[in-house]
Amino acid sequence: MRNSSVQKNIDWITVILYLLLVMAGWINIYSTSLPNVDNTVFDFNQIYGRQLIFIITCLPLIILILAIDTKFYEKYALIFYIIGLLSILGLFVFGKSVKGQTNWYQFGGFGLQPSEFVKTSTALLLAKYLSDNQGSLKTLKEQITAFLIIGIPTLLILKNDTGSAMLFASLIFVLFREGLPSWYLWTIFITILLFICSLILKPFIILSLIVLISLIHYFFNKKINRNPFIYLILVLVMSGFSLSVDYVYDKVLEPHQKDRINVLIGEDVNLQAEGYNLNQSKIAIGSGGWFGTGFLQGTQTKGGFVPEQHTDYIFTTVGEEWGFVGSSVVILLFLCLFFRLLYLCEKQKKRFNRVYGYCVVSFLFIHFAFNITMLVGLFPTIGVPLPFFSYGGSSLIAFTLLLFIFLKLDANRINEW
């Protein structure tokens, strides 16, 4: 039935997963707040009280998103994108510096981080461009335009917030789904791997491996045109990149960025300085065992040993108080959400809806993956919140906006030809 109610067709499985994650996040934020008997659940002077305000704020926002016609999001995608860019530029003049990063607007006792909302506007414009263009990203012009849509906000955010800027790279998976040649992904993967290996291994070993692997690929890969001149250029480029890594590391990267890389590659670090956060995180998660210490019973949490535990390190509370089993449940909820969204993406009739949906999954997954892996030392600490879980109004409201726009688009699918 073409005029079927959009609200009736909302995907309630996704809504339930969203609510479960939000409430589980609030419970763990409550635990990290170290509440005492004199505090109530509605004490808005505490971080759990303020998070409750943010959660309540999301309810009318969700109603508004579902009430707006779906064509609105597509029609004004460029306007939203421009507003997002202006909000980032405004930080250079009106932004408030927090821990050395000027990525917040301050309004009384509340802050607003525009980079969280720019994810939605970038996703909308990318979806509009790919749907209007109807191309398959095979031409250089299409690829450059798509990369510019992603790259402009990335570069603007990079100045103030390296961690948030890195997250936009996840949209490469969306482009790959829509026809971007696979060699882009391989190039990114090899570049990252080569950078890390060049920091760990001696130059002679790296150069020898580059030559050896290139020769093996040349003689055994019969699926591509084996032009020796192309292979020679690739070897020279990779060798030059590898030899430049030390210079970039020493002269380009900031001290805190080098500290994070040192932690990642296992270099000797000061556990009372740059290695402190990761060390305390591992202790907290490890102390939980199989079933955890119990709600409000975490010694690391109660002792306040883990910095920023209510924001970027919120999952350490899960690990300590709910143990391996509780952590697995939370991870399973996230995985169910991701797979459900992927399922909905592939059911979309319009390319705009599908592309936007994949943008949503990419942003949510990259936040999840970076946040969890940085807590156990598999990824550098870059200050990434856990979606719907970490404390913060900007992140919760922005993720809610990002998700429910897609749910609105999906709910309207039955009304589309």
Side-chain angles (χ1 to χ4, degrees):
M1 186 178 297
R2 180 171 168 76
N3 293 320
S4 179
S5 169
V6 170
Q7 285 72 24
K8 181 180 178 180
N9 294 297
I10 197 78
D11 187 70
W12 288 106
I13 295 178
T14 303
V15 174
I16 291 171
L17 290 170
Y18 163 82
L19 292 174
L20 289 173
L21 288 170
V22 169
M23 294 313 300
W26 183 85
I27 289 171
N28 284 277
I29 290 170
Y30 179 85
S31 182
T32 64
S33 306
L34 307 177
N36 56 54
V37 294
D38 297 326
N39 296 128
T40 68
V41 172
F42 300 101
D43 186 347
F44 299 123
N45 292 318
Q46 304 295 323
I47 60 172
Y48 61 81
R50 292 196 291 271
Q51 186 71 2
L52 194 58
I53 294 176
F54 301 144
I55 293 173
I56 294 172
T57 302
C58 287
L59 299 180
L61 175 64
I62 291 172
I63 294 173
L64 178 63
I65 292 171
L66 297 179
I68 295 176
D69 188 88
T70 53
K71 295 179 181 178
F72 174 82
Y73 302 112
E74 185 173 0
K75 181 178 180 180
Y76 296 103
L78 180 59
I79 302 298
F80 296 144
Y81 184 78
I82 293 173
I83 292 173
L85 296 183
L86 291 176
S87 70
I88 298 297
L89 289 171
L91 290 172
F92 293 96
V93 180
F94 305 107
K96 178 179 174 60
S97 182
V98 178
K99 297 181 180 179
Q101 294 183 323
T102 310
N103 51 8
W104 291 85
Y105 290 111
Q106 195 68 34
F107 303 100
F110 294 94
L112 179 69
Q113 189 174 7
S115 62
E116 296 292 346
F117 297 91
V118 173
K119 297 183 181 76
T120 300
S121 60
T122 302
L124 286 171
L125 185 61
L126 184 64
K128 179 171 176 56
Y129 169 72
L130 293 178
S131 62
D132 288 350
N133 190 55
Q134 292 299 326
S136 55
L137 291 173
K138 297 299 183 183
T139 68
L140 184 60
K141 180 181 177 181
E142 292 172 343
Q143 295 167 12
I144 291 176
T145 304
F147 283 131
L148 282 175
I149 292 173
I150 300 170
I152 293 174
T154 302
L155 291 175
L156 292 178
I157 295 170
L158 187 63
K159 174 66 177 176
N160 293 319
D161 190 348
T162 305
S164 294
M166 291 177 61
L167 300 170
F168 283 79
S170 65
L171 296 182
I172 189 73
F173 297 109
V174 180
L175 300 183
F176 180 67
R177 166 62 181 82
E178 296 303 316
L180 187 72
S182 61
W183 66 264
Y184 280 99
L185 281 176
W186 282 109
T187 300
I188 295 172
F189 173 76
I190 293 172
T191 301
I192 296 173
L193 182 63
L194 195 57
F195 183 87
I196 295 174
C197 290
S198 298
L199 291 174
I200 300 174
L201 303 175
K202 295 181 179 180
F204 174 76
I205 297 177
I206 290 294
L207 297 180
S208 299
L209 287 173
I210 290 174
V211 173
L212 178 62
I213 294 173
S214 298
L215 287 173
I216 292 174
H217 191 276
Y218 176 76
F219 285 109
F220 291 96
N221 191 331
K222 300 179 180 180
K223 295 181 179 180
I224 61 174
N225 182 21
R226 296 180 294 176
N227 188 326
F229 182 70
I230 298 294
Y231 274 81
L232 177 61
I233 292 177
L234 290 174
V235 168
L236 292 175
V237 170
M238 288 189 290
S239 300
F241 174 80
S242 176
L243 294 173
S244 70
V245 167
D246 284 340
Y247 176 83
V248 173
Y249 179 82
D250 293 329
K251 304 296 184 181
V252 178
L253 296 181
E254 298 292 337
H256 69 277
Q257 294 171 328
K258 289 190 282 189
D259 289 339
R260 291 168 180 174
I261 292 175
N262 288 337
V263 172
L264 173 66
I265 63 178
E267 291 289 330
D268 291 334
V269 294
N270 186 350
L271 295 183
Q272 298 302 316
E274 64 270 15
Y276 180 80
N277 289 14
L278 177 59
N279 186 53
Q280 295 301 321
S281 171
K282 289 181 177 179
I283 292 174
I285 294 175
S287 65
W290 281 96
F291 300 102
T293 58
F295 181 54
L296 300 177
Q297 300 303 313
T299 56
Q300 294 294 308
T301 298
K302 292 177 70 175
F305 292 108
V306 183
E308 307 297 333
Q309 192 169 10
H310 58 294
T311 55
D312 302 337
Y313 286 82
I314 187 65
F315 196 76
T316 61
T317 307
V318 180
E320 181 178 28
E321 298 191 347
W322 305 100
F324 176 80
V325 174
S327 300
S328 299
V329 170
V330 171
I331 291 174
L332 183 62
L333 285 175
F334 274 107
L335 294 179
C336 288
L337 176 64
F338 300 147
F339 282 112
R340 182 63 183 178
L341 291 175
L342 288 174
Y343 168 75
L344 295 178
C345 287
E346 289 302 323
K347 291 183 65 178
Q348 301 306 308
K349 301 175 184 178
K350 292 182 61 176
R351 193 182 191 190
F352 175 83
N353 297 4
R354 185 181 70 239
V355 174
Y356 179 79
Y358 268 99
C359 290
V360 174
V361 179
S362 296
F363 276 132
L364 292 178
F365 177 76
I366 204 70
H367 273 83
F368 165 80
F370 280 8
N371 183 275
I372 299 297
T373 54
M374 77 179 187
L375 299 185
V376 293
L378 297 178
F379 194 82
T381 302
I382 58 173
V384 175
L386 189 60
F388 313 120
F389 223 87
S390 294
Y391 169 81
S394 291
S395 61
L396 177 60
I397 294 172
F399 284 130
T400 299
L401 178 68
L402 183 73
L403 175 64
F404 276 87
I405 287 178
F406 176 63
L407 291 184
K408 167 66 176 184
L409 297 174
D410 174 71
N412 193 58
R413 172 167 37 91
I414 195 170
N415 295 329
E416 298 168 350
W417 292 108

